[in-house]
Amino acid sequence: MFPHDNKIELAWNERVAVITLRHEIDLSDSDRVTEAFHRALTHSDSDGTLLDLAELTFADSTLLGLILHTRTEHERAQRPFVLARPFNTSIQRLLEITGAVDVLPLADTLEEGLRQLRTPQLPNCSQAVSPNDVTAC
């Protein structure tokens, strides 16, 4: 996706956009990361986005902000977004200290993340207007 960029990759696994971030990602990479997130979200053949951070060794709050913003954009577009583990110790610590690990959808492996994104999402029946209004369930 990005010529001569071994830090950011956007690939397709069937209808799932897989963004892989490698090495160190910081403020200087934010425009390219934002572009990858945007392309994954707006691609017409995408059913969801999987963010693979297994090879990421460092990230600062800039990337965390981009991830949280991207998740919100995916929710608005009703398109799933999942982060795949394993995480480097410093990435795990960043997600835990900020509480992001509690709000971001996580998968234990890349394969599990792909399974999650390929499994049809069931409607949230707890938001029915009345007990008789469960037509979507």
Side-chain angles (χ1 to χ4, degrees):
M1 171 181 157
F2 299 95
H4 311 293
D5 190 339
N6 64 350
K7 295 169 80 172
I8 304 165
E9 178 184 341
L10 172 60
W12 298 94
N13 189 310
E14 296 178 20
R15 295 180 51 90
V16 174
V18 180
I19 299 173
T20 303
L21 301 180
R22 295 180 182 94
H23 311 300
E24 297 182 2
I25 300 288
D26 58 24
L27 180 60
S28 66
D29 303 300
S30 63
D31 288 343
R32 292 188 323 276
V33 172
T34 299
E35 182 181 348
F37 287 162
H38 178 75
R39 286 186 185 181
L41 177 61
T42 59
H43 193 278
S44 62
D45 289 334
S46 173
D47 288 338
T49 302
L50 181 64
L51 182 57
D52 178 6
L53 303 179
E55 297 177 58
L56 187 64
T57 57
F58 173 82
D60 61 12
S61 61
T62 302
L63 179 61
L64 180 59
L66 290 174
I67 291 171
L68 293 170
H69 178 75
T70 297
R71 177 179 183 245
T72 300
E73 287 183 331
H74 275 71
E75 285 178 342
R76 286 185 187 140
Q78 297 181 341
R79 205 169 277 175
F81 178 77
V82 174
L83 275 70
R85 293 178 176 159
F87 301 135
N88 177 288
T89 305
S90 65
I91 304 304
Q92 182 71 35
R93 188 170 36 247
L94 174 68
L95 296 174
E96 287 175 354
I97 289 172
T98 60
V101 73
D102 297 324
V103 298
L104 292 169
L106 304 174
D108 288 333
T109 64
L110 184 70
E111 294 76 20
E112 175 60 28
L114 289 168
R115 271 193 299 278
Q116 285 182 27
L117 291 168
R118 289 186 184 127
T119 302
Q121 302 296 313
L122 298 175
N124 183 351
C125 297
S126 66
Q127 294 183 3
V129 177
S130 71
N132 298 328
D133 185 18
V134 291
T135 57
C137 297

